Amino acid sequence: MRINTILTRIALLLLPVLLWGCDYGNVIQGRVVEFNKETGIITFIKEESHDRKNPRYTALPPVTMRMPKDPHEIGPLPTPGGRIELNVKDNFVLVYDHDAKNFKKIPFTPVDIMTDVGRSHPMVAGKTFPIIEKDKRTVQVYSGRQRLLAKFTVDDDAIQLPDNTWIAGDEVRIFYKEEGQAARFMNITLTDIYKK
């Protein structure tokens, strides 16, 4: 038997032993529902579908992590929000209820639903959403991911909710090795990973 074959077999036998105990880290993705800039603590709802085109932010309980210690590992800071899902097929908004630590489904009546609306569209560009008219009980929101501009009415209780209830928190991706401590933070809502 040739020496190269023997060395290769020994290397293959030793490889699992050498790799055992190595921690390469983990990646987690979520939608931000709370962010404390002073403490650097971020709370988000974990994505569980692993479908890049149709993510599902529905895993409870929320995940809480501390931002990376190295400031060079932190991308644009996140904007938190309560809106988890905007469903114009079944006419509801799924929001995260901080007090109940659970989701709440808010039904709505559509007023105007526009599809295929890009961020540069005149109805969206330069505007800040949500646009809330409490006297008319209307809320207008924009979803860049869905390319959807939706205006709808809600009941008296829902229109009294805080404005950030209707904001979709930024989508983030975090690399970590230690539970509760991010090693790298990326705001994928504000970062175009395909831009050259």
Side-chain angles (χ1 to χ4, degrees), residues 12-105:
L12 288 173
L13 288 171
L14 288 176
L15 189 61
V17 175
L18 294 172
L19 293 177
W20 183 68
C22 290
D23 183 7
Y24 291 108
N26 299 290
V27 175
I28 189 170
Q29 183 170 313
R31 185 176 290 284
V32 179
V33 293
E34 196 171 330
F35 175 57
N36 186 319
K37 193 173 179 180
E38 285 72 38
T39 63
I41 294 176
I42 180 171
T43 304
F44 56 94
I45 306 299
K46 183 180 166 187
E47 198 281 326
E48 62 182 353
S49 71
H50 306 293
D51 181 347
R52 186 175 59 85
K53 292 185 179 179
N54 299 298
R56 300 278 301 160
Y57 298 101
T58 50
L60 289 175
V63 177
T64 299
M65 293 189 109
R66 194 171 295 278
M67 292 292 258
K69 295 172 184 174
D70 182 352
H72 294 99
E73 297 294 350
I74 301 174
L77 295 178
T79 299
R83 191 177 90 223
I84 302 298
E85 180 184 347
L86 172 61
N87 186 318
V88 295
K89 180 183 174 190
D90 299 318
N91 296 333
F92 72 85
V93 177
L94 187 69
V95 301
Y96 178 69
D97 184 333
H98 290 275
D99 295 331
K101 303 277 190 248
N102 207 341
F103 298 122
K104 179 179 182 181
K105 190 184 278 190

Side-chain angles (χ1 to χ4, degrees), residues 153-171:
T153 60
V154 293
D155 66 25
D156 291 331
D157 290 336
I159 200 65
Q160 300 305 322
L161 292 169
D163 290 358
N164 71 348
T165 300
W166 309 105
I167 296 172
D170 285 346
E171 295 173 273

